[in-house]
Amino acid sequence: PQQIEGWLFGGNVSATTFDFTIPATVAGGSRVWLIAAWVNAKLQSGPTCRPVQTYVAGGMVQAA
């Protein structure tokens, strides 16, 4: 999104890998963008990486 209101802050982590949960309000099959930045011990952010796109899994509910 070009406007900041279209982005969601996923949180701070201290590991190089982590799980991020897409809110249930985002429909299956939707395209989402992720960015990341390193943060130092003084909590100063470095530059962000280029946005990476992916798609939300799902979109169909299996019948019980």
Side-chain angles (χ1 to χ4, degrees):
Q2 293 187 10
Q3 302 299 323
I4 192 71
E5 295 81 15
W7 290 89
L8 173 68
F9 179 71
N12 292 323
V13 297
S14 60
T16 57
T17 61
F18 64 97
D19 292 325
F20 177 75
T21 302
I22 303 291
T25 56
V26 178
S30 295
R31 180 173 56 172
V32 296
W33 296 87
L34 305 171
I35 58 172
W38 290 106
V39 178
N40 67 20
K42 295 181 181 180
L43 300 180
Q44 298 168 325
S45 296
T48 61
C49 67
R50 290 184 177 171
V52 176
Q53 79 173 18
T54 189
Y55 292 88
V56 177
M60 295 182 59
V61 177
Q62 183 176 357

